[in-house]
Amino acid sequence: MFSSLFPLIAFTAWTILLVLIVVSFRTAQVLAGSKKSNEFPAWIQHGSDLYWRIHRAHLNCVEGLPVFAVLVLTFILSGYQNDTFDLLAWIVFGARILQTSAHLSGGGVWNVNVRFTGFIIQYLCFTAMLVILVRSIL
């Protein structure tokens, strides 16, 4: 049987990995003296294109992680078990990796289409997970 807690932990680890890459990039620039610590405004692109894509991919993870966490943790706390819910949780994680990979690979039409597909898959799964959760509680 699948466990939805593991994909939640994997999603969280992925989010942490991305922020560590962002922090490492910024720390290296500050320590090298090429930037001051206040020269990384969130609303303005700064750094290389790859760095900015990593930064944006991390923010995308941060946007989706709370929704995923609420669904999974509420489901676990409900005590209800459902293999479909657990499978959907793994699909969410896979779609997150797809979305991030497409985000990091470039900004062309194909990249954006794949990235959007990953996003849509996640939110379709979130919707299905919410339906399963609501049915299990009622």
Side-chain angles (χ1 to χ4, degrees):
M1 175 171 33
F2 295 102
S3 173
S4 52
L5 189 58
F6 294 115
L8 175 59
I9 291 168
F11 193 126
T12 303
W14 186 249
T15 305
I16 291 169
L17 174 64
L18 291 173
V19 79
L20 289 176
I21 294 169
V22 169
V23 167
S24 297
F25 175 85
R26 291 180 181 187
T27 301
Q29 287 198 319
V30 169
L31 292 177
S34 60
K35 292 255 189 194
K36 294 180 183 171
S37 61
N38 65 346
E39 294 181 328
F40 301 98
W43 59 92
I44 299 172
Q45 184 170 348
H46 51 273
S48 68
D49 186 56
L50 178 60
Y51 160 77
W52 189 249
R53 291 185 175 291
I54 294 168
H55 170 74
R56 294 298 310 156
H58 168 256
L59 292 177
N60 289 159
C61 286
V62 169
E63 292 167 354
L65 183 56
V67 175
F68 190 39
V70 165
L71 288 168
V72 169
L73 295 176
T74 303
F75 189 76
I76 289 170
L77 289 173
S78 77
Y80 189 74
Q81 292 190 4
N82 183 296
D83 291 341
T84 303
F85 187 95
D86 292 336
L87 178 60
L88 288 167
W90 279 109
I91 293 170
V92 166
F93 176 64
R96 165 50 51 197
I97 298 299
L98 175 70
Q99 183 181 357
T100 300
S101 300
H103 203 136
L104 298 181
S105 68
V109 172
W110 177 249
N111 309 80
V112 172
N113 289 343
V114 171
R115 187 171 82 211
F116 185 68
T117 300
F119 172 82
I120 290 297
I121 290 169
Q122 288 170 81
Y123 276 83
L124 288 173
C125 287
F126 289 163
T127 302
M129 292 166 79
L130 181 60
V131 169
I132 292 170
L133 179 60
V134 169
R135 286 184 178 170
S136 73
I137 292 173
L138 296 179

